[in-house]
Amino acid sequence: MNNNVLILGSGGREHAMVWKLSRESKVKNIFCIPGNAGTSQIATNKSLSLTDYDKLLEFVNKNNINLIIVGPENLLDDGIVDFFNSHNKKIFGPSKAASRLESSKIYARDIMKKYNIPHPNYFSCITRNEVQKAKEFLGFPIVLKADGLAAGKGVIICNNENEYNKALDVFFENQSFGTASDKISVEECIQGPEISIFVSCNGSQYKILNNAQDHKRAFNQDKGPNTGGMGAYAPTPLYNSKLESKIKSKIIEPTLNAMISEGHPYCGFLYFGLMLVNGDPYVIEYNVRMGDPETQVVMPMMDCSLYDLLNATLEKKLDTFNYKNKSGFCVTVVLAANGYPLKYETGNIINGLDKLKNDLVFHAGTALSDKKFIVSGGRVLNTIGYGSDLKTAINKAYKVINNVDFKNMFFRTDIGKKGLDY
Ligand code: AMP
Ligand code: GLY
């Protein structure tokens, strides 16, 4: 059928969604703004400013776009959904007001508190003195979190006085997070395995898409700095129907009902970052979008139409939508540029991508230069492995790496290992 879809963003998450849609018969043309070298192979990339809404609207009208999908959170926080809705365009994502679930960690915590959604104890602080008082109450370990958007890097866990003083300098002296840390959520540090749940929702209707586990630290055994995510797998063996019913009744449904009560019903993908404490789920964070790299494993597992799912969500027909996943497991390993998540090398040529046959690789920070693929971002590629068991999926994702390389490429060698240990 003749449906045209526009995806906004340029990461592996967006390539994975483009790939999924490109295999669906209802979708005719896929456009990406700005996209990456991977999306350019299966969709039409367009370079337009993502903040120039009038130009974007012109593009949408000219290309008869039926559905816009927003990848990253900053666009949602800017109010892009409100703009297109006001022009009667179908766009998938939450309003600016509802996006505060991610763009203000303190707003999110206040919602959890008000509506009894399990969360760690926290204090909203502005001054050093307030942080100090919260620390004295909570003791070590303690979590300091920038209130605003900080590309997943605004969280510092302090185990002792020395780490705490260094963290205070990061927040107050170096101003590393800019205005994002005008307020700080000072939190009790809870302990347990983490699990991410991806939901497509509108008002009180929702479908759980899948659960996954991310690997946020740069190096093996969760060492090194926090990154956007170095690999993921889905589903996790931690998940079962008993846990699912707790997550639904204690977390997903109260959150959606809270947003209705607050006058900001939530529509779009909602990502629940949870920690299991003695088997009970607590909310670490909400993200108002799909995860990256988790989308790269959620899409290959999805055994129904993404286009239909998004339309059913927007039209509030999720109660009759038959959402299905394949059986088995999917793993993604992120191939990163030397230096990531700090300053990293760009411009190196990526070899092997043109020779891949049955291997699936999603691009993230890639561009085309003289018809060659080159590194243009910190997280460069995502190799994908699928298998009926997790071990097979892990082995396949790592096997794909033998076929691609670029200078000073690095990756974790333990993606999915935690899943095997559970
Ligand atoms: P976030 O960006 O909020 O997902 O935080 C990054 C990581 O910090 C999470 O994945 C957790 O591992 C950890 N974290 C954040 N908040 C807490 C908390 N209150 N207790 C324990 N760990 C936390
Ligand atoms: N992978 C973590 C995130 O997308 O925030």
Side-chain angles (χ1 to χ4, degrees):
M1 276 188 272
N2 290 340
N3 297 301
N4 298 330
V5 182
L6 169 63
I7 298 193
L8 305 178
S10 63
R13 166 181 52 207
E14 287 75 22
H15 189 188
M17 289 198 260
V18 170
W19 170 83
K20 179 77 179 88
L21 292 167
S22 72
R23 302 156 71 86
E24 296 182 3
S25 58
K26 281 190 187 165
V27 179
K28 186 176 175 208
N29 296 305
I30 309 172
F31 299 91
C32 246
I33 302 178
N36 58 36
T39 63
S40 76
Q41 312 290 296
I42 49 174
T44 306
N45 283 358
K46 177 80 182 168
S47 165
L48 274 183
S49 160
L50 288 170
T51 51
D52 189 341
Y53 291 173
D54 290 329
K55 282 261 160 58
L56 291 176
L57 180 62
E58 210 177 288
F59 183 84
V60 164
N61 283 330
K62 201 171 137 208
N63 293 287
N64 296 317
I65 305 284
N66 306 81
L67 176 66
I68 308 164
I69 306 171
V70 187
E73 62 278 13
N74 57 335
L75 304 179
L76 298 164
D77 181 46
D78 277 347
I80 196 161
V81 168
D82 309 65
F83 174 82
F84 279 102
N85 276 334
S86 74
H87 287 84
N88 294 317
K89 298 291 172 201
K90 239 191 220 178
I91 180 161
F92 195 80
S95 65
K96 180 177 172 68
S99 301
R100 289 189 75 210
L101 282 182
E102 179 170 359
S103 64
S104 169
K105 309 295 176 216
I106 291 169
Y107 172 80
R109 287 282 183 239
D110 289 347
I111 292 276
M112 295 172 218
K113 189 171 175 186
K114 185 169 169 188
Y115 295 94
N116 285 320
I117 300 161
H119 63 280
N121 201 353
Y122 73 103
F123 293 90
S124 166
C125 301
I126 295 178
T127 64
R128 231 176 217 270
N129 200 19
E130 285 170 353
V131 176
Q132 179 68 16
K133 276 199 192 138
K135 183 212 84 172
E136 279 160 19
F137 183 86
L138 293 169
F140 291 119
I142 197 176
V143 180
L144 305 193
K145 213 176 262 195
D147 178 52
L149 295 179
K153 292 164 197 142
V155 177
I156 304 181
I157 298 177
C158 316
N159 292 296
N160 52 47
E161 204 64 34
N162 185 25
E163 289 176 9
Y164 168 73
N165 286 323
K166 277 193 194 148
L168 284 186
D169 284 347
V170 172
F171 281 99
F172 289 97
E173 305 297 327
N174 317 346
Q175 299 274 319
S176 306
F177 307 118
T179 54
S181 64
D182 284 354
K183 285 197 214 157
I184 300 170
S185 181
V186 179
E187 305 186 351
E188 171 196 6
C189 186
I190 56 175
Q191 317 273 348
E194 290 183 56
I195 178 166
S196 306
I197 311 288
F198 298 94
V199 177
S200 182
C201 44
N202 192 354
S204 61
Q205 288 195 353
Y206 69 95
K207 283 281 172 199
I208 297 177
L209 308 189
N210 211 327
N211 64 85
Q213 203 167 42
D214 189 11
H215 297 65
K216 287 201 167 111
R217 302 294 198 95
F219 309 126
N220 279 8
Q221 293 171 328
D222 294 334
K223 301 257 164 57
N226 256 323
T227 69
M230 293 297 292
Y233 67 94
T236 116
L238 290 170
Y239 201 78
N240 54 44
S241 57
K242 192 167 156 226
L243 178 61
E244 180 170 282
S245 55
K246 280 189 199 168
I247 291 172
K248 284 177 166 177
S249 65
K250 293 184 174 193
I251 293 177
I252 300 176
E253 287 160 20
T255 301
L256 296 182
N257 289 333
M259 295 309 282
I260 293 170
S261 301
E262 293 293 308
H264 305 302
Y266 192 94
C267 178
F269 293 119
L270 188 51
Y271 159 164
F272 297 82
L274 307 179
M275 195 173 265
L276 305 182
V277 184
N278 301 322
D280 283 324
Y282 285 71
V283 180
I284 290 289
E285 62 169 350
Y286 296 121
N287 291 313
V288 298
R289 49 171 174 85
M290 287 298 287
D292 188 339
E294 296 93 324
T295 308
Q296 290 87 305
V297 289
V298 172
M299 291 300 138
M301 291 299 291
M302 193 182 285
D303 199 14
C304 56
S305 156
L306 173 63
Y307 183 80
D308 285 346
L309 168 74
L310 302 188
N311 277 295
T313 307
L314 288 169
E315 290 162 15
K316 292 207 174 165
K317 290 183 181 156
L318 278 179
D319 45 348
T320 54
F321 187 82
N322 185 16
Y323 184 83
K324 278 200 305 199
N325 278 319
K326 288 181 196 149
S327 60
F329 294 83
C330 191
V331 174
T332 183
V333 179
V334 171
L335 308 183
N338 185 32
Y340 176 78
L342 304 173
K343 201 171 177 321
Y344 51 79
E345 280 175 46
T346 57
N348 291 323
I349 290 172
I350 306 167
N351 299 306
L353 287 173
D354 45 347
K355 294 190 197 79
L356 296 176
K357 287 202 177 83
N358 295 319
D359 296 335
L360 187 56
V361 173
F362 293 128
H363 292 221
T366 66
L368 278 167
S369 171
D370 287 337
K371 297 193 178 153
K372 290 198 172 88
F373 293 108
I374 59 161
V375 173
S376 66
R379 290 189 291 174
V380 183
L381 297 167
N382 308 260
T383 64
I384 308 297
Y386 170 78
S388 56
D389 60 87
L390 181 57
K391 181 102 189 86
T392 307
I394 294 171
N395 289 343
K396 283 196 184 160
Y398 277 105
K399 208 164 154 238
V400 180
I401 303 177
N402 296 334
N403 301 329
V404 283
D405 83 293
F406 53 88
K407 193 175 152 214
N408 294 332
M409 159 176 115
F410 85 92
F411 55 91
R412 278 179 63 156
T413 58
D414 63 349
I415 303 299
K417 187 171 176 305
K418 265 188 240 171
L420 296 177
D421 295 342
Y422 289 138

